[in-house]
mmCIF file of all heavy atoms in Angstrom:
data_model
loop_
_atom_site.group_PDB
_atom_site.id
_atom_site.type_symbol
_atom_site.label_atom_id
_atom_site.label_comp_id
_atom_site.label_asym_id
_atom_site.label_seq_id
_atom_site.Cartn_x
_atom_site.Cartn_y
_atom_site.Cartn_z
ATOM 1 N N LEU A 286 -10.367 -21.471 0.404
ATOM 2 C CA LEU A 286 -10.613 -22.903 0.762
ATOM 3 C C LEU A 286 -10.099 -23.220 2.170
ATOM 4 O O LEU A 286 -10.753 -24.059 2.829
ATOM 5 C CB LEU A 286 -9.921 -23.785 -0.259
ATOM 6 C CG LEU A 286 -10.620 -23.960 -1.583
ATOM 7 C CD1 LEU A 286 -9.720 -24.674 -2.577
ATOM 8 C CD2 LEU A 286 -11.900 -24.695 -1.466
ATOM 9 N N LEU A 287 -9.078 -22.556 2.618
ATOM 10 C CA LEU A 287 -8.590 -22.731 3.983
ATOM 11 C C LEU A 287 -9.620 -22.308 5.001
ATOM 12 O O LEU A 287 -9.641 -22.773 6.147
ATOM 13 C CB LEU A 287 -7.256 -22.028 4.167
ATOM 14 C CG LEU A 287 -6.017 -22.690 3.591
ATOM 15 C CD1 LEU A 287 -4.801 -21.794 3.707
ATOM 16 C CD2 LEU A 287 -5.788 -24.036 4.292
ATOM 17 N N LYS A 288 -10.485 -21.402 4.612
ATOM 18 C CA LYS A 288 -11.485 -20.933 5.509
ATOM 19 C C LYS A 288 -12.693 -21.874 5.558
ATOM 20 O O LYS A 288 -13.669 -21.633 6.283
ATOM 21 C CB LYS A 288 -11.932 -19.530 5.151
ATOM 22 C CG LYS A 288 -10.874 -18.497 5.409
ATOM 23 C CD LYS A 288 -11.249 -17.107 4.919
ATOM 24 C CE LYS A 288 -10.084 -16.164 5.132
ATOM 25 N NZ LYS A 288 -10.034 -15.134 4.113
ATOM 26 N N GLY A 289 -12.645 -22.882 4.710
ATOM 27 C CA GLY A 289 -13.649 -23.922 4.707
ATOM 28 C C GLY A 289 -14.511 -23.910 3.388
ATOM 29 O O GLY A 289 -14.658 -22.912 2.764
ATOM 30 N N VAL A 290 -14.904 -25.106 2.988
ATOM 31 C CA VAL A 290 -15.637 -25.262 1.656
ATOM 32 C C VAL A 290 -16.941 -24.470 1.743
ATOM 33 O O VAL A 290 -17.276 -23.752 0.775
ATOM 34 C CB VAL A 290 -15.888 -26.759 1.393
ATOM 35 C CG1 VAL A 290 -16.750 -26.925 0.174
ATOM 36 C CG2 VAL A 290 -14.544 -27.465 1.174
ATOM 37 N N PRO A 291 -17.702 -24.425 2.831
ATOM 38 C CA PRO A 291 -18.951 -23.609 2.830
ATOM 39 C C PRO A 291 -18.638 -22.126 2.574
ATOM 40 O O PRO A 291 -19.356 -21.465 1.863
ATOM 41 C CB PRO A 291 -19.543 -23.782 4.282
ATOM 42 C CG PRO A 291 -18.958 -25.112 4.663
ATOM 43 C CD PRO A 291 -17.597 -25.237 4.125
ATOM 44 N N HIS A 292 -17.560 -21.649 3.203
ATOM 45 C CA HIS A 292 -17.147 -20.239 2.914
ATOM 46 C C HIS A 292 -16.801 -20.047 1.466
ATOM 47 O O HIS A 292 -17.239 -19.022 0.823
ATOM 48 C CB HIS A 292 -15.941 -19.845 3.825
ATOM 49 C CG HIS A 292 -15.273 -18.542 3.404
ATOM 50 N ND1 HIS A 292 -15.820 -17.376 3.805
ATOM 51 C CD2 HIS A 292 -14.234 -18.297 2.659
ATOM 52 C CE1 HIS A 292 -15.084 -16.379 3.390
ATOM 53 N NE2 HIS A 292 -14.075 -16.908 2.597
ATOM 54 N N PHE A 293 -16.091 -20.968 0.885
ATOM 55 C CA PHE A 293 -15.688 -20.900 -0.534
ATOM 56 C C PHE A 293 -16.905 -20.887 -1.423
ATOM 57 O O PHE A 293 -16.974 -20.023 -2.358
ATOM 58 C CB PHE A 293 -14.777 -22.103 -0.862
ATOM 59 C CG PHE A 293 -14.260 -22.096 -2.255
ATOM 60 C CD1 PHE A 293 -13.235 -21.235 -2.632
ATOM 61 C CD2 PHE A 293 -14.713 -23.006 -3.162
ATOM 62 C CE1 PHE A 293 -12.732 -21.220 -3.920
ATOM 63 C CE2 PHE A 293 -14.215 -23.008 -4.484
ATOM 64 C CZ PHE A 293 -13.253 -22.123 -4.800
ATOM 65 N N LEU A 294 -17.834 -21.773 -1.185
ATOM 66 C CA LEU A 294 -19.012 -21.826 -2.047
ATOM 67 C C LEU A 294 -19.951 -20.589 -1.866
ATOM 68 O O LEU A 294 -20.645 -20.162 -2.731
ATOM 69 C CB LEU A 294 -19.808 -23.123 -1.773
ATOM 70 C CG LEU A 294 -19.083 -24.387 -2.167
ATOM 71 C CD1 LEU A 294 -19.895 -25.612 -1.695
ATOM 72 C CD2 LEU A 294 -18.754 -24.415 -3.658
ATOM 73 N N ALA A 295 -19.928 -20.024 -0.627
ATOM 74 C CA ALA A 295 -20.758 -18.821 -0.356
ATOM 75 C C ALA A 295 -20.306 -17.597 -1.073
ATOM 76 O O ALA A 295 -21.038 -16.683 -1.189
ATOM 77 C CB ALA A 295 -20.799 -18.620 1.163
ATOM 78 N N LEU A 296 -19.052 -17.613 -1.606
ATOM 79 C CA LEU A 296 -18.550 -16.491 -2.285
ATOM 80 C C LEU A 296 -19.310 -16.184 -3.585
ATOM 81 O O LEU A 296 -19.350 -15.073 -4.049
ATOM 82 C CB LEU A 296 -17.027 -16.604 -2.561
ATOM 83 C CG LEU A 296 -16.204 -16.672 -1.322
ATOM 84 C CD1 LEU A 296 -14.746 -17.005 -1.671
ATOM 85 C CD2 LEU A 296 -16.220 -15.301 -0.622
ATOM 86 N N GLY A 297 -19.854 -17.193 -4.196
ATOM 87 C CA GLY A 297 -20.718 -17.023 -5.349
ATOM 88 C C GLY A 297 -19.987 -16.909 -6.664
ATOM 89 O O GLY A 297 -18.717 -16.887 -6.699
ATOM 90 N N PRO A 298 -20.727 -16.760 -7.725
ATOM 91 C CA PRO A 298 -20.175 -16.704 -9.068
ATOM 92 C C PRO A 298 -19.358 -15.444 -9.417
ATOM 93 O O PRO A 298 -18.494 -15.481 -10.213
ATOM 94 C CB PRO A 298 -21.379 -16.797 -10.029
ATOM 95 C CG PRO A 298 -22.551 -16.465 -9.166
ATOM 96 C CD PRO A 298 -22.223 -16.762 -7.748
ATOM 97 N N ILE A 299 -19.661 -14.347 -8.760
ATOM 98 C CA ILE A 299 -18.900 -13.122 -9.004
ATOM 99 C C ILE A 299 -17.436 -13.314 -8.553
ATOM 100 O O ILE A 299 -16.556 -12.770 -9.255
ATOM 101 C CB ILE A 299 -19.581 -11.951 -8.285
ATOM 102 C CG1 ILE A 299 -20.893 -11.654 -8.934
ATOM 103 C CG2 ILE A 299 -18.655 -10.696 -8.353
ATOM 104 C CD1 ILE A 299 -21.715 -10.545 -8.225
ATOM 105 N N TYR A 300 -17.275 -14.045 -7.522
ATOM 106 C CA TYR A 300 -15.893 -14.318 -7.074
ATOM 107 C C TYR A 300 -15.056 -15.065 -8.107
ATOM 108 O O TYR A 300 -13.958 -14.676 -8.418
ATOM 109 C CB TYR A 300 -15.936 -15.147 -5.792
ATOM 110 C CG TYR A 300 -14.644 -15.669 -5.290
ATOM 111 C CD1 TYR A 300 -13.749 -14.781 -4.618
ATOM 112 C CD2 TYR A 300 -14.190 -16.995 -5.510
ATOM 113 C CE1 TYR A 300 -12.506 -15.250 -4.218
ATOM 114 C CE2 TYR A 300 -12.995 -17.465 -5.048
ATOM 115 C CZ TYR A 300 -12.125 -16.539 -4.430
ATOM 116 O OH TYR A 300 -10.911 -17.037 -4.013
ATOM 117 N N PHE A 301 -15.712 -16.071 -8.742
ATOM 118 C CA PHE A 301 -15.025 -16.851 -9.726
ATOM 119 C C PHE A 301 -14.790 -16.055 -11.062
ATOM 120 O O PHE A 301 -13.777 -16.082 -11.634
ATOM 121 C CB PHE A 301 -15.807 -18.134 -9.989
ATOM 122 C CG PHE A 301 -15.898 -18.986 -8.771
ATOM 123 C CD1 PHE A 301 -17.154 -19.029 -8.073
ATOM 124 C CD2 PHE A 301 -14.854 -19.681 -8.264
ATOM 125 C CE1 PHE A 301 -17.219 -19.742 -6.962
ATOM 126 C CE2 PHE A 301 -14.928 -20.396 -7.102
ATOM 127 C CZ PHE A 301 -16.153 -20.469 -6.435
ATOM 128 N N ALA A 302 -15.779 -15.221 -11.384
ATOM 129 C CA ALA A 302 -15.663 -14.451 -12.595
ATOM 130 C C ALA A 302 -14.595 -13.369 -12.442
ATOM 131 O O ALA A 302 -13.849 -13.064 -13.350
ATOM 132 C CB ALA A 302 -17.021 -13.742 -12.931
ATOM 133 N N SER A 303 -14.408 -12.821 -11.224
ATOM 134 C CA SER A 303 -13.408 -11.744 -11.024
ATOM 135 C C SER A 303 -11.999 -12.370 -11.161
ATOM 136 O O SER A 303 -11.051 -11.702 -11.515
ATOM 137 C CB SER A 303 -13.544 -11.150 -9.602
ATOM 138 O OG SER A 303 -13.233 -12.026 -8.598
ATOM 139 N N GLY A 304 -11.834 -13.652 -10.883
ATOM 140 C CA GLY A 304 -10.529 -14.290 -11.033
ATOM 141 C C GLY A 304 -10.069 -14.406 -12.455
ATOM 142 O O GLY A 304 -8.863 -14.456 -12.781
ATOM 143 N N LEU A 305 -11.090 -14.418 -13.402
ATOM 144 C CA LEU A 305 -10.679 -14.459 -14.817
ATOM 145 C C LEU A 305 -10.001 -13.169 -15.321
ATOM 146 O O LEU A 305 -9.191 -13.211 -16.245
ATOM 147 C CB LEU A 305 -11.963 -14.667 -15.671
ATOM 148 C CG LEU A 305 -12.750 -15.977 -15.393
ATOM 149 C CD1 LEU A 305 -14.004 -16.011 -16.245
ATOM 150 C CD2 LEU A 305 -11.856 -17.185 -15.724
ATOM 151 N N ARG A 306 -10.325 -12.081 -14.672
ATOM 152 C CA ARG A 306 -9.641 -10.797 -15.064
ATOM 153 C C ARG A 306 -8.195 -10.796 -14.620
ATOM 154 O O ARG A 306 -7.405 -9.954 -15.146
ATOM 155 C CB ARG A 306 -10.379 -9.657 -14.430
ATOM 156 C CG ARG A 306 -11.042 -8.821 -15.396
ATOM 157 C CD ARG A 306 -11.575 -7.548 -14.751
ATOM 158 N NE ARG A 306 -10.647 -6.476 -14.924
ATOM 159 C CZ ARG A 306 -10.554 -5.412 -14.241
ATOM 160 N NH1 ARG A 306 -11.423 -5.265 -13.270
ATOM 161 N NH2 ARG A 306 -9.698 -4.489 -14.427
#
Side-chain angles (χ1 to χ4, degrees):
L286 283 169
L287 284 172
K288 292 175 183 148
V290 174
H292 169 80
F293 182 74
L294 295 174
L296 294 172
I299 293 175
Y300 173 77
F301 302 105
S303 70
L305 298 176
R306 248 188 96 201

